[in-house]
Structures are given as C-alpha cells and as structure tokens.
Amino acid sequence: MKRFVLFTFLSFAWAQMTYAQDAVESIRKEYAALKADIAEMMREEGRPSEYYQVLVRQNLPGTGPHFEDTRMYWGERDDDEIYPTHYLHMVTTKYNFAAREFYEEYLYDEKGRIHFIYAQTPDADEDIATMHEFRFYFNAGKLVKVLVKSRKVAEAGAFADEYSGATVPAKYDSHYQNYLAWVKRFSKLFDAVDGAAHL
C-alpha cells in the first residue's frame, strides 16, 4: 500500500512538473513571436505600427520629474472581416521615481487572462543598488513558474540566478501582488482606450 501511495504521489508530481514545463515553453514561443512582430512594426520600413500609447509626465513631491511610457499591443478576434474587435495581448511600460528606473511587460491570452509577467526593478526593500529581474509564468491564469534573478546596478552584464520554483518567495510577494494589481489596471485602461478610439 505504501508503495502504491508513493508511486501515485510521484506520478502526480511528475505530471504537474511536465504540465508546468509545457506551459512555460508555449509561453516562451508566443512571447518571442510577439516581440519579433513588434520589432518588425517599429522598423522604418516595417509594416505600419499598431498600438496604443499612454505618456505621463508629472513632477512628484520628493522625487521630482516622473515619466511613464505605456504601450498596449492588441490581437484581433475573427468576428468581423473589416473591423475585428481587439483584445489586449501585451503591455510594455517603463517609468521612473527619481533615479530609480523600472520596466515591465504583461502578456495576456485572448480570454484576458495573464500569461506572463516580466519585470526589472531596483529593490526598494533592501538596497536600490540591486536590480531584480522577475519572470512569472501562468497557465489559464494560474501561476506555474517563477524565476528571480539579480545583479548590482553598477555591474553591466547578465543577471545571476537567485530563485526558480512554482511559488513566489515571501520576500518578493509584495512585488508579485503589485504586478497582479497592474494586470487588472492595464486591462481596464486598454478597454477604455480601445472603446474611445475612432475607427
């Protein structure tokens, strides 16, 4: 009986690991294809660019000039031959607070569920001289893989591996929760801009 229980547990664990790995590989392929498509759009000789852009410029007390550049890229549904409706496919956003610079990407599926979050952020909780790189992978909206890397801001080059697993380490949970809040905010922003754009 113990062998059966152990075998069942190991089989379940193996299936979960394979399921997560397949989801990660699928997301990586979709992400790479979309990034290549966006790069092609941005070339002078490339096809016409299609995205919504929100620029924010303001002067914040204590930190001074604050800039945000958010771009929202869409996919098209097969619901109209001439003017198909859009769904939010990817958001890129870069912004600052004083000298601290942030960069984030959010990849969505056609149903509006988050697929992938990528972020580079200086660590405000420990030392702003440390830059962290986060990758959160989701399958059907559920977190399946987390990668955390870091490096000193003053050091050029690659990030060093810090964590890889299926859950968010406690010390980075506040970052994760903040990114999840932005997943919803960007969806609302996209719907507002998409609904107000002239055809």
Side-chain angles (χ1 to χ4, degrees):
M1 182 66 175
K2 287 182 181 178
R3 285 184 183 175
F4 176 75
V5 171
L6 179 60
F7 176 77
T8 302
F9 174 77
L10 291 175
S11 296
F12 177 75
W14 177 258
Q16 289 294 98
M17 190 172 69
T18 302
Y19 171 79
Q21 190 58 36
D22 289 347
V24 168
E25 288 306 314
S26 175
I27 290 166
R28 285 178 175 159
K29 287 178 184 174
E30 179 184 354
Y31 174 84
L34 183 55
K35 290 286 280 191
D37 189 48
I38 291 169
E40 176 64 25
M41 271 197 302
M42 298 306 177
R43 289 180 47 224
E44 274 189 42
E45 303 83 18
R47 66 182 175 80
S49 299
E50 292 188 292
Y51 60 90
Y52 298 134
Q53 183 174 17
V54 177
L55 296 173
V56 176
R57 295 176 181 273
Q58 58 186 335
N59 194 36
L60 298 177
T63 60
H66 172 73
F67 307 101
E68 296 181 35
D69 181 356
T70 300
R71 298 180 186 195
M72 296 170 284
Y73 303 90
W74 63 76
E76 294 181 341
R77 296 188 174 93
D78 295 328
D79 54 4
D80 189 291
E81 286 185 21
I82 300 172
Y83 296 115
T85 58
H86 302 148
Y87 66 91
L88 179 58
H89 201 176
M90 176 179 267
V91 174
T92 64
T93 184
K94 56 183 174 181
Y95 56 96
N96 77 295
F97 289 103
R100 298 171 64 227
E101 295 184 355
F102 301 78
Y103 178 75
E104 298 160 16
E105 297 177 341
Y106 299 81
L107 179 68
Y108 297 77
D109 68 13
E110 192 171 344
K111 294 181 179 179
R113 298 174 300 195
I114 191 64
H115 241 18
F116 175 64
I117 300 171
Y118 170 81
Q120 282 190 18
T121 180
D123 198 329
D125 298 329
E126 294 176 11
D127 178 2
I128 62 168
T130 300
M131 181 69 76
H132 281 92
E133 186 179 70
F134 298 101
R135 286 177 174 84
F136 303 98
Y137 296 87
F138 301 80
N139 191 10
K142 295 184 180 180
L143 185 66
V144 294
K145 179 81 173 175
V146 178
L147 297 173
V148 180
K149 298 184 178 188
S150 63
R151 69 170 168 80
K152 296 297 181 188
V153 171
E155 297 173 2
F159 287 80
D161 292 339
E162 188 176 315
Y163 172 81
S164 176
T167 59
V168 179
K171 71 179 187 174
Y172 299 124
D173 189 60
S174 62
H175 290 287
Y176 176 63
Q177 296 304 324
N178 181 55
Y179 300 138
L180 289 182
W182 279 104
V183 166
K184 293 176 184 175
R185 290 178 189 144
F186 286 133
S187 290
K188 289 179 181 177
L189 178 62
F190 176 80
D191 289 343
V193 174
D194 193 57
H198 296 287
L199 287 178

